Amino acid sequence: MENYDFEKLIQAVVDGESEDALELVEDALKRGVSAYEIIDMGLVEGMKIVSDRYDRKQYFVPDLAASAEAMTDALEQLKPLLEVQKEKSKGTVVIGVVQECSQEIGKNIVAAMLSGAGFKVYDLGINVTPRQFVDKAREVMADIVGMGSPMLQTVKYFAETEQLLKQEGLREKIKLLVGGAATNRSTPEKTGTDAWAVDGNEAVKVAESLMEQLRGVQ
Amino acid sequence: MRSTEKIDALAEQLHQNVRNSGEYLTPLERFNSVHIYNSVPDRLLAWAFYREYPRYLVNYTVKDIETDHLKECESLLAGLVEFGYDTVWTNVDVYSVIPEVWGCPISMHEDAVSVPVGAVIKRPEDLEQLRPIDPYNDGRLSVVLNSIALLREKIGDIYPVLGHCTGPVSLASILRGGSKFVVDVKKRPEFVARLLDFCADQIITFAKAQLDLGATGVHMADAAGSPSMVSPQQYEEVFMPAYMKIQKALGHLTPSGARWHSQSGFETLDDLEEFLEKSLIAGNNIIHVSTPWSLKLDIVAIQNLCRKYGAVLWFGIDPASFANLTPEQLELQVKEYIEKYAKDFEGYFQIGPNMLNDTSKPELVKAYMEAMRKYGKCPVG
């Protein structure tokens, strides 16, 4: 691979064109580009442009979701190649939308962006109970549990998950990152969790900072 | 005692309570004063969003009240007797009952509200396979209708009996799956328009049935329809036609009309007032703000918009206040909000817990109502 031109792949992510992204990933692999280069120089670069446009209010949630879908599909295609390089993972995240909730758009975007940024992400989907979060976190030795709550009445499940982690002796090893339409910067303080992020972009930065904290503890 | 006998006893108790309250208006008259006439009531309208909360008073599970209208009515009436707020709503699992009709998988729990957990429109062409709902015969829609009819019969002369229905964007989002739906908004706007139109028709059918059985109004909950979900242009071109269709079909059927609110997210809009004005023009007649973050908004500007369009500001108090404060602290908070925001807008204002949930302490719900009676007398101040 010499001087592979990532521009088309970047554009496919920016435009949220999954099929184009998949074809371009296939093409890049055939030309000898490594999975990590495709992620770093194609997918992540594309998502950076998307995030920037979102911050500047040129892009909105549907644009973000389409790009996240393109990125997730491309990552799925690359997954078998990434498994062998697991040690390069920035950290392990278990993510999901809490019990009684079925709105997963924000969570999907965060999961895609964390994956793209190099985290190993286990997505539990929607309607996830505190017990399911804790069991999965134990099983995969998670560093971070990410929880989303789009509704006010379900924010209580953040605290319940935190308590359950504590009861099971896992709390010191696992950081809790929360978000969702019904949350704000004061949510961690109220729920005993560690950090909050407004969107996928910030979630990546916050997750990296939480990993730093964990390494500090170790 | 059988469930029907308990309901009769609770309804009789409520009639006695209203007669002996020493207040000039009944809850229904207070509701009408605000929602029909925008006139100053005797006391601010105590709006309470409580859904499954009072079930503990009658020892039922959430599943019990989601599947049995007698149990739902008993729970709702017990809550009214215990706490004395001014409104009663049916349909605890507002987001599940319609999607369930078409086989959308629903996760039901003993102690949590049910949730749709799977989509039924896997491909856009699947939409053509969905038949219109029959609210009297399909799934648990009759639980909602039977509750409304029974509540109307028992306490409809003194309390507003509010119907409850999911909004079109939430329904569409559940049927298609949240992520797919929002991507469709970008990539397949024509399909989204057809889907929303279909959803609007089903909502009109279900809401009409609720109104036919005596609902005072139908509240539409549309959590996924937040303006922050899409661009202003998409909101106007894709979401608004569905809202306007519903309002056009239902608005004339009851003096207080169909009503909906944008659940969350509009606090972040740069052009908030412009959005709210568009929403009011489309027929929205409740604007819902929730503390603490809404306190940063220009509430008076929003109230002036309410006055202009005959709408009502729902001032929702943070559920955390009902879990963490002392009764004295909550009383002070309610007093402060009333003095600051209700004065001169009494006919355009309702205040209450944003959402009561299992962390809410009964003594705090009572403290809220006591504060309402103490400081909410109108005119305020």
Side-chain angles (χ1 to χ4, degrees):
Chain A
M1 189 277 299
E2 266 184 34
N3 297 325
Y4 184 81
D5 185 359
F6 286 96
E7 198 176 321
K8 282 184 182 165
L9 179 57
I10 291 170
Q11 196 57 45
V13 173
V14 171
D15 294 340
E17 294 295 344
S18 271
E19 285 177 20
D20 291 353
L22 290 174
E23 278 176 24
L24 290 160
V25 164
E26 193 60 44
D27 178 63
L29 289 171
K30 277 183 190 157
R31 289 167 189 268
V33 184
S34 79
Y36 276 97
E37 281 166 328
I38 291 172
I39 291 171
D40 288 342
M41 297 164 78
L43 305 181
V44 172
E45 285 304 310
M47 284 311 281
K48 277 183 190 165
I49 295 171
V50 172
S51 297
D52 181 55
R53 290 185 183 179
Y54 182 72
D55 287 344
R56 285 192 276 129
K57 302 202 170 166
Q58 294 171 339
Y59 263 23
F60 296 88
V61 174
D63 306 294
L64 215 54
S67 295
E69 186 181 79
M71 178 158 175
T72 307
D73 289 349
L75 284 171
E76 198 59 32
Q77 193 180 3
L78 294 170
K79 214 171 176 180
L81 305 168
L82 298 174
E83 291 294 325
V84 291
Q85 300 178 59
K86 236 180 210 171
E87 68 279 6
K88 283 195 179 177
S89 161
K90 279 187 184 170
T92 301
V93 182
V94 168
I95 194 168
V97 175
V98 298
Q99 200 171 335
E100 294 180 52
C101 293
S102 59
Q103 297 293 332
E104 60 174 340
I105 300 154
K107 181 269 297 172
N108 287 350
I109 293 169
V110 171
M113 293 193 70
L114 287 170
S115 295
F119 285 87
K120 177 86 184 158
V121 177
Y122 292 89
D123 187 347
L124 302 185
I126 56 172
N127 195 28
V128 183
T129 63
R131 168 53 63 196
Q132 288 169 321
F133 275 119
V134 171
D135 286 351
K136 191 69 185 178
R138 180 191 291 106
E139 179 196 327
V140 301
M141 292 189 290
D143 302 299
I144 297 170
V145 170
M147 294 180 282
S149 173
M151 298 196 289
L152 278 167
Q153 64 267 31
T154 52
V155 168
K156 64 183 179 182
Y157 294 121
F158 295 165
E160 285 186 21
T161 305
E162 196 270 343
Q163 285 298 314
L164 196 53
L165 280 173
K166 215 178 254 174
Q167 283 167 26
E168 311 236 337
L170 295 168
R171 185 66 180 94
E172 284 178 14
K173 297 173 197 160
I174 295 174
K175 293 288 182 186
L176 291 168
L177 169 60
V178 297
T183 64
N184 57 43
R185 285 198 193 282
S186 66
T187 303
E189 192 187 342
K190 287 180 180 168
T191 55
T193 52
D194 300 302
W196 174 82
V198 68
D199 55 24
N201 220 7
E202 191 174 286
V204 170
K205 291 173 198 154
V206 173
E208 284 167 350
S209 147
L210 290 173
M211 289 307 298
E212 288 292 319
Q213 289 175 31
L214 280 172
R215 277 190 278 272
V217 170
Q218 284 159 9
Chain B
M1 206 189 285
R2 289 165 50 193
S3 203
T4 49
E5 290 168 341
K6 289 182 199 164
I7 286 168
D8 284 343
L10 288 163
E12 178 50 34
Q13 182 66 54
L14 283 168
H15 279 87
Q16 274 184 35
N17 290 355
V18 169
R19 274 197 301 273
N20 299 333
S21 68
E23 295 190 300
Y24 187 68
L25 300 179
T26 65
L28 177 61
E29 289 166 337
R30 195 170 293 121
F31 176 89
N32 288 344
S33 173
V34 174
H35 280 278
I36 297 178
Y37 306 112
N38 292 125
S39 62
V40 178
D42 60 334
R43 164 177 58 73
L44 293 174
L45 186 63
W47 190 259
F49 193 9
Y50 47 87
R51 303 202 313 179
E52 74 283 9
Y53 176 67
R55 73 188 186 282
Y56 77 92
L57 295 165
V58 284
N59 293 319
Y60 291 139
T61 65
V62 178
K63 196 173 177 180
D64 286 336
I65 59 175
E66 285 179 341
T67 54
D68 181 331
H69 79 281
L70 292 175
K71 289 176 178 169
E72 182 183 31
C73 288
E74 199 184 324
S75 171
L76 293 171
L77 292 172
L80 279 181
V81 168
E82 182 74 3
F83 302 114
Y85 29 64
D86 289 329
T87 54
V88 60
W89 289 15
T90 56
N91 197 358
V92 167
D93 52 341
V94 62
Y95 292 114
S96 299
V97 290
I98 301 183
E100 192 180 42
V101 169
W102 296 296
C104 189
I106 307 294
S107 169
M108 293 194 91
H109 310 272
E110 297 297 324
D111 279 311
V113 172
S114 64
V115 184
V117 288
V120 288
I121 301 179
K122 308 281 184 202
R123 301 161 305 153
E125 48 269 37
D126 293 344
L127 172 60
E128 314 310 326
Q129 307 304 316
L130 302 187
R131 61 165 179 79
I133 58 164
D134 173 355
Y136 295 96
N137 293 302
D138 282 342
R140 289 181 296 128
L141 299 180
S142 59
V143 174
V144 180
L145 298 183
N146 288 334
S147 290
I148 287 169
L150 188 59
L151 289 168
R152 174 72 186 209
E153 179 195 329
K154 300 296 177 188
I155 59 164
D157 55 334
I158 50 170
Y159 279 91
V161 176
L162 297 177
H164 206 184
C165 197
T166 177
V169 179
S170 296
L171 180 55
S173 176
I174 290 164
L175 293 177
R176 176 70 171 135
S179 292
K180 280 203 162 55
F181 174 76
V182 84
V183 172
D184 288 339
V185 171
K186 178 183 168 94
K187 293 190 169 177
R188 301 170 195 87
E190 305 82 13
F191 163 67
V192 171
R194 277 192 295 123
L195 175 58
L196 285 173
D197 190 63
F198 173 81
C199 290
D201 284 342
Q202 310 319 307
I203 289 162
I204 290 166
T205 301
F206 190 32
K208 267 187 178 169
Q210 296 184 41
L211 293 167
D212 285 348
L213 288 165
T216 318
V218 178
H219 179 268
M220 257 195 303
D222 209 5
S226 165
S228 63
M229 291 300 295
V230 290
S231 72
Q233 191 185 351
Q234 286 164 333
Y235 192 87
E236 198 162 343
E237 291 175 2
V238 185
F239 289 4
M240 291 272 269
Y243 290 136
M244 293 186 89
K245 183 175 191 181
I246 292 167
Q247 187 64 24
K248 196 174 168 194
L250 301 177
H252 66 287
L253 290 180
T254 167
S256 46
R259 51 194 77 242
W260 75 85
H261 64 273
S262 295
Q263 180 93 18
S264 59
F266 67 68
E267 295 94 338
T268 60
L269 295 180
D270 290 337
D271 50 356
L272 174 62
E273 283 174 46
E274 191 188 328
F275 162 73
L276 289 177
E277 185 144 23
K278 279 181 193 162
S279 170
L280 291 165
I281 289 168
N284 183 10
N285 49 14
I286 294 182
I287 292 177
H288 178 200
V289 298
S290 46
T291 65
W293 49 87
S294 61
L295 297 177
K296 293 176 194 155
L297 303 176
D298 184 350
I299 300 280
V300 175
I302 297 173
Q303 286 182 304
N304 281 323
L305 276 176
C306 287
R307 195 195 295 277
K308 184 174 170 187
Y309 290 95
V312 174
L313 179 77
W314 168 6
F315 194 89
I317 304 172
D318 186 359
S321 296
F322 289 84
N324 303 328
L325 299 184
T326 65
E328 294 75 23
Q329 286 170 327
L330 186 69
E331 180 183 329
L332 278 176
Q333 197 176 72
V334 173
K335 178 175 183 276
E336 184 196 329
Y337 292 152
I338 288 174
E339 288 173 353
K340 202 165 174 185
Y341 300 113
K343 191 169 160 42
D344 298 331
F345 290 98
E346 294 92 334
Y348 303 86
F349 192 81
Q350 60 190 31
I351 178 168
N354 193 40
M355 165 64 84
L356 294 176
N357 59 42
D358 289 356
T359 66
S360 308
K361 292 177 182 162
E363 63 269 29
L364 292 173
V365 185
K366 287 180 180 171
Y368 148 73
M369 270 315 297
E370 279 167 27
M372 287 294 288
R373 290 195 190 93
K374 198 165 164 187
Y375 305 108
K377 288 196 177 65
C378 296
V380 170

